[in-house]
Amino acid sequence: MDCPIGYTKKIGDVEKFGSIIGPMTATLKECAKKCNISSDCQSFEHSESELLCNLNKEREPTNTTSKNKDYTFCSKIGKMYYILFVLNRKDIFVLHA
């Protein structure tokens, strides 16, 4: 699974269930949205098969020797601006990473 716009995929994980919060039920898109609105969130881990999400304050994985199940580790790309168009609304949101 690829990471959403604004994130880059890394190999590894942050041990346990998120250094900010986790696990919580969410799709990949919902998980990224939760990370975007959290000022402390620098990365997230998401399992497509379990639909679980962990938010992390670490931008890089702390464990790079193995991957946790089917979790995808997505790290925020720093100092970039993103314009997100919400499909069911006409609002435009500018997020600072």
Side-chain angles (χ1 to χ4, degrees):
M1 176 83 38
D2 289 329
C3 293
I5 293 173
Y7 292 85
T8 185
K9 188 175 181 177
K10 306 274 179 150
I11 302 299
D13 72 330
V14 172
E15 294 183 20
K16 301 192 179 177
F17 294 106
S19 57
I20 295 175
I21 190 169
M24 60 187 148
T25 304
T27 65
L28 182 75
K29 187 176 179 179
E30 293 167 340
C31 194
K33 193 179 223 180
K34 290 175 187 296
C35 190
N36 286 339
I37 62 174
S38 172
S39 60
D40 293 335
C41 187
Q42 295 299 311
S43 67
F44 68 87
E45 299 165 81
H46 181 265
S47 168
E48 190 66 27
S49 66
E50 297 175 338
L51 284 180
L52 292 178
C53 171
N54 302 323
L55 302 184
N56 303 310
K57 62 184 175 188
E58 297 84 1
R59 186 170 290 193
E60 300 294 325
T62 56
N63 174 12
T64 57
T65 58
S66 64
K67 184 179 173 187
N68 185 16
K69 300 180 186 176
D70 73 329
Y71 279 79
T72 300
F73 189 98
C74 298
S75 176
K76 274 188 181 176
I77 300 171
K79 303 295 180 194
M80 296 189 72
Y81 300 95
Y82 305 100
I83 299 175
L84 302 177
F85 295 91
V86 179
L87 297 176
N88 60 349
R89 296 175 60 189
K90 294 184 180 180
D91 299 335
I92 296 175
F93 298 91
V94 178
L95 301 175
H96 306 277

